[in-house]
Structures are given as C-alpha cells and as structure tokens.
Amino acid sequence: MGVQKKEAFKPKTVPGNLKLKGENFYRDRKKVQYLNMLKGGRARYDGKGNLLKAAPYQSKEAPTAHIEPNRKWFGNTRVIGQKALEEFREQMATKINDPYQVLLRRSKLPTSLLHDNTKIGQVNMLQTEAFSDTFGPKAQRKRPKLTVEGYDQLVKKITDSEGSYDHKKDLNLQANKRTEYDAARDWYLTAGTSKRIWNELYKVVDSSDVILHVLDARDPEGTRCRHVEKYIKTEAPHKHLVYILNKVDLVPTWVTARWVKVLSREYPTLAFHASINHSFGKGSLIQLLRQFTRLHADKKQISVGLIGYPNTGKSSIINTLRQKKVCTVAPVPGETKVWQYITMTRRIYLIDCPGIVQFSATDTDTDIVLKGSIRTESLLMPEDYIPEILNRVRKEYIQRHYNIDKWDSAEDFLTELAKATGKLNKGGEPDLHVVSKMVVNDWVRGRLPHYRAPPEFSEPLSQSQTPAVGSDA
C-alpha cells in the first residue's frame, strides 16, 4: 500500500536526483544522455515498414504557414541619385584615407561606392562577332581588321618603327642575350625572408585589430616594411596601423622629433624607449590602446600585433608594457621564432611576431647587414662591411670607443684595433676576421652612435619648433 501511495503522488517534473533509464554502475547520467543523443534523430518504423514516429523536423503534420506580403519586395530601398553619390564621395574621400580619423559602422556604409570598378573582364569574341560570320561559306568579313585605314598609313607606321628601333635593346639578338650572371648571395643574407616567417607575419596581421609597426629610430626608412603597409591598406583597411619609433635613446632628441614629424604625415607615430624600469612613451602608448578599446566597444577584447624588422625591439616593448619579462629578448636578431599571445589587460591582448626582412632590389649586402637583421657569427667576410661603418660613424666616436687616434684605411684601422685588443695570430699577425666581427657586433648593439636624419631636415630644430614626441612613463 505504501508503495502505491508514493507512486500515486509522484510529481510530474522529475527531480535531478532520480536516475535515468539505463543509468547504472557502468554508465553515469552524462554517458546515458550522450548515448540517447546518438540513438535519437531517426524515424521509427514497425515490422511492415510503416512509419510510427517521424524524425525531428521531418514530420508532415506541420500546419501550412503563410508569409505576410510586403511592398519592399518589389523595390530597392537603397537608391541614391548621381548628385547625392558625388557629394558622398567628396565627403568620405577626405576622411576615409585619414589615419587620424576612424570610420565607425563601416559595414553599414556603402564604401564600395567610393571607388569605380575599373576591372575589365575578359572579352567574349563570339558575342562580338559570331563564328559563322567570320569563317565558312556565310562569312561576312572579307579582310582582317587593321588599326590603319590604308596602305600609306601602314607604310608610315613601319617606317617610324624602324627609326625608333635600337638593336642594342633587342633581347632576341644573340649578341644581347645575357650569359654572365651575378654570383648567388650568401645563405645568411636571406635571414627573415623564409616562407615560414612570412606565414607567421600574416597570422599576426589577420588576428590583430591594431598593428604596431616597430621602427628603429636610427634608420626608420630602412626598417619600414612597405609591402606589409600596402597589404594592410588594400586588403585590410579596417585595421589600425601605428608607427612605434623605438630606441630613441640612441639618437639625439632633434632627430627623433623630426622623424616623428615626417612619419606622422602617413600614420600616427609614437616615440618609445623600451625598458622595464626607465621607459619612455609607455603612458602614451597605453592611452592610445585604451582609446582603440573604446572604439571597438562591441568586442570583448582587441588584439594588438607588433611587426617589424629583426632586432627592432618588439619583444622588449611587450616586456615594458607588462613591466616584467614575459618574452625572451636578446640584443641579437632572430630571438623570436614563432608568434605568441600575451595578455596585457582584460581587454587588450598583445601578439609578438618574428622579425621579417623585406626584399629590396636596391639594398646591397652591406645595407642588409648594417640594418641589424643578421647575426654577427654568421658573417663569412665581416671585413667587407667595415669601410661603410667608418663612413657612417663620426671619427671622434670611434676614437673615444676604441682608443685609436688615427688610421689611414679600414685595414689599417683593423690592424691597430687588433694590436690594442690582443687579437693576434701566430707570428704576431693581426686577426682581422675576429676584430671585424667585434666592430660589426658593436654596431648592431648600438655601442657606436649613428643615425640617419630625414632628407629634408638635416639641421637641428629650434627650441620653439620641437614637437612633443611622447610622455614619460
């Protein structure tokens, strides 16, 4: 009787403490629910094949539904006149290319109307002139179509082409064919140009909302990746690009101020000195990133990617923002191998990227080495780069650093330096190879002061013309 009473007053909603059908010692509740999910979703039939229960969303017993008609079906709700379109283009063209203004709700604006589609598709010849009208017994065309109207114009065209013909530029002639080729570059000069490195770069670009292009203050133009800038401008115009002029402690203040003034014409530029304890520009950078989080208020967090040449200080900037060592850093290029995520705040994530080197046909081997993108121990002939270093660095700086008063040539300088440092081989011969690596290493690590001023600004600014380049942190 007691059991029947309990069953009579059994509640309709099953509590969570009761077992499901099939739940036992071997199968818990979660496993039974998973198996029921796999068994479900199928139609049930009897022995004769008649449908007993249809599968979910496949039943034919659903009532017939009607869609309410709307007059918007028969008209285009987004129609714009030619005059209004021209005004829209004039107003937006001045603002959409301004890096200091952000276009909100870009997806809801017809930005595609700003540019005319100049792409010309492939011409279908059969639509222009049918095959039967050109060939066969019913051909309509009796002679080929020429760009000239008569025989006289054809003769004049051939005569003019003969007058402008230069046999020295005709590559089809055997005498003009190239038979000697330049020797292949050494393997270490291709550092930072591998396919793996560029794949890592595009991962960072695709994953970032804000991209910080880190430049070396000693040579900002030489460490710019114009190919990446063009790619971001054409393929990802919704991403924000900002220049970070790092290592400003190695150049005079007026050089930093002038470079900030020049680079700010294209994109926002901040001067920065990466240091955990004594940094410069950290407060301005954090304030800028917080402004980007307000612009992207619809996102839970934003990603900030750092790109640039090797040895420009990308990982050091991340350590400065975090005020502790979260990325491995070294004063040599190529320390970062793969991209990595670092949490700065709850809403800001930083992405570290390996250094990339943009190939340029105008860059010589000396330019590639002196940009600091190659490790010194990989150089086979470091003596070849010493004359350029002596030309770029002031003589008084070299005299003060190496305690050498005078020299006549680069080889004489290396000989005097080898004697002063004791780098000698058997018989007292100076070891020029080891001493050359020492000089190149001092160049890469910033021990030899040098910089490149903007071409239009070669003199220091006056005190009233010097702009603010950042704020102390």
Side-chain angles (χ1 to χ4, degrees):
M1 293 295 291
V3 175
Q4 294 177 357
K5 288 182 179 179
K6 287 183 180 180
E7 291 179 354
F9 293 99
K10 186 175 181 180
K12 294 182 180 180
T13 58
V14 181
N17 58 355
L18 296 181
K19 291 185 177 182
L20 288 177
K21 183 179 179 181
E23 184 179 359
N24 50 36
F25 177 77
Y26 301 100
R27 294 177 178 174
D28 56 358
R29 188 183 188 89
K30 189 175 182 180
K31 184 68 174 180
V32 173
Q33 290 176 347
Y34 175 71
L35 294 176
N36 291 339
M37 180 192 69
L38 297 179
K39 292 179 182 178
R42 302 176 183 175
R44 293 172 56 185
Y45 300 90
D46 58 6
K48 297 181 180 181
N50 298 324
L51 181 65
L52 298 179
K53 184 178 180 181
Y57 306 106
Q58 295 184 3
S59 176
K60 297 182 180 180
E61 300 177 357
T64 304
H66 296 278
I67 301 176
E68 181 183 2
N70 195 329
R71 64 182 302 174
K72 291 183 179 180
W73 299 346
F74 309 102
N76 189 355
T77 58
R78 294 189 177 184
V79 179
I80 186 171
Q82 186 66 26
K83 185 176 181 180
L85 177 60
E86 292 178 359
E87 293 180 356
F88 174 75
R89 285 183 173 182
E90 292 176 358
Q91 294 177 4
M92 293 299 300
T94 57
K95 296 183 179 180
I96 195 171
N97 295 325
D98 189 359
Y100 293 92
Q101 295 186 6
V102 180
L103 186 61
L104 300 177
R105 298 180 180 179
R106 183 186 292 263
S107 60
K108 294 186 178 182
L109 291 174
T111 54
S112 59
L113 297 177
L114 292 176
H115 309 285
D116 293 327
N117 188 10
T118 58
K119 186 177 180 181
I120 301 175
Q122 185 178 3
V123 179
N124 193 344
M125 297 297 295
L126 295 180
Q127 291 181 359
T128 306
E129 193 169 5
F131 186 85
S132 60
D133 295 339
T134 308
F135 304 100
K138 297 182 180 180
Q140 301 290 332
R141 192 174 70 172
K142 300 301 181 182
R143 60 180 182 179
K145 294 181 178 179
L146 302 176
T147 57
V148 293
E149 296 180 356
Y151 182 75
D152 297 336
Q153 291 187 3
L154 181 60
V155 173
K156 183 180 179 182
K157 182 179 179 182
I158 296 174
T159 306
D160 295 342
S161 62
E162 288 181 352
S164 61
Y165 174 75
D166 187 4
H167 66 279
K168 296 182 180 179
K169 297 181 180 180
D170 190 356
L171 299 179
N172 294 324
L173 298 178
Q174 189 67 26
N176 295 335
K177 289 187 176 180
R178 188 178 180 184
T179 56
E180 297 182 359
Y181 296 91
D182 297 335
R185 283 184 169 180
D186 295 327
W187 61 270
Y188 55 82
L189 294 175
T190 60
T193 60
S194 63
K195 187 177 180 181
R196 184 192 70 84
I197 295 294
W198 281 91
N199 288 339
E200 296 290 322
L201 167 71
Y202 286 116
K203 289 179 188 177
V204 174
V205 173
D206 294 341
S207 304
S208 303
D209 301 303
V210 181
I211 299 175
L212 303 181
H213 193 349
V214 183
L215 306 176
D216 194 332
R218 297 170 292 180
D219 188 11
E221 284 294 335
T223 53
R224 283 182 63 178
C225 303
R226 298 186 180 274
H227 172 75
V228 181
E229 295 177 11
K230 182 179 179 182
Y231 172 80
I232 295 173
K233 189 174 183 179
T234 56
E235 302 296 334
H238 58 282
K239 298 182 183 294
H240 310 284
L241 181 62
V242 179
Y243 288 144
I244 303 297
L245 201 62
N246 196 22
K247 301 184 179 181
V248 296
D249 56 313
L250 301 179
V251 298
T253 306
W254 69 270
V255 176
T256 303
R258 290 193 182 276
W259 272 118
V260 169
K261 185 177 181 180
V262 171
L263 296 175
S264 297
R265 300 171 186 171
E266 301 183 35
Y267 293 101
T269 307
L270 288 178
F272 200 87
H273 167 46
S275 176
I276 296 179
N277 298 323
H278 306 285
S279 61
F280 177 81
K282 176 183 172 183
S284 301
L285 181 56
I286 294 177
Q287 184 179 3
L288 180 62
L289 296 180
R290 286 177 177 172
Q291 291 179 4
F292 284 125
T293 58
R294 298 191 191 102
L295 291 175
H296 298 275
D298 55 331
K299 296 183 178 181
K300 291 184 179 179
Q301 62 274 338
I302 64 170
S303 299
V304 181
L306 287 87
I307 64 172
Y309 263 69
N311 201 32
T312 54
K314 298 179 291 296
S315 302
S316 300
I317 292 177
I318 295 178
N319 292 341
T320 302
L321 296 177
R322 285 296 311 273
Q323 289 187 333
K324 63 179 181 179
K325 186 178 179 181
V326 293
C327 295
T328 306
V329 295
V332 292
E335 186 66 23
T336 304
K337 301 295 189 298
V338 295
W339 71 318
Q340 51 185 338
Y341 259 90
I342 295 95
T343 304
M344 177 180 167
T345 61
R346 188 180 61 179
R347 294 204 59 195
I348 301 176
Y349 287 85
L350 304 175
I351 309 178
D352 193 10
C353 177
I356 56 168
V357 177
Q358 180 182 351
F359 175 78
S360 177
T362 58
D363 286 346
T364 61
D365 296 349
T366 304
D367 294 333
I368 296 175
V369 172
L370 297 187
K371 284 181 181 180
S373 58
I374 298 175
R375 297 202 175 192
T376 308
E377 58 268 17
S378 302
L379 300 178
L380 299 180
M381 297 292 293
E383 303 90 351
D384 299 340
Y385 314 114
I386 303 303
E388 184 64 21
I389 293 178
L390 297 179
N391 292 334
R392 294 190 184 185
V393 183
R394 290 184 180 179
K395 189 173 182 179
E396 54 267 25
Y397 294 155
I398 297 178
Q399 292 174 347
R400 182 178 59 189
H401 185 74
Y402 294 111
N403 293 326
I404 298 177
D405 296 333
K406 59 181 180 178
W407 58 88
D408 298 330
S409 62
E411 185 177 357
D412 186 22
F413 169 75
L414 294 177
T415 303
E416 294 293 333
L417 182 59
K419 293 179 181 179
T421 56
K423 305 296 182 182
L424 304 174
N425 292 326
K426 289 184 178 180
E429 292 292 331
D431 193 348
L432 302 183
H433 184 78
V434 174
V435 177
S436 301
K437 283 190 175 182
M438 291 173 51
V439 177
V440 175
N441 192 39
D442 292 341
W443 169 277
V444 172
R445 299 199 176 199
R447 295 169 183 167
L448 297 177
H450 65 280
Y451 61 87
R452 285 193 174 183
E456 63 268 29
F457 300 118
S458 58
E459 298 179 359
L461 282 171
S462 61
Q463 189 68 23
S464 59
Q465 294 177 334
T466 303
V469 295
S471 60
D472 294 326

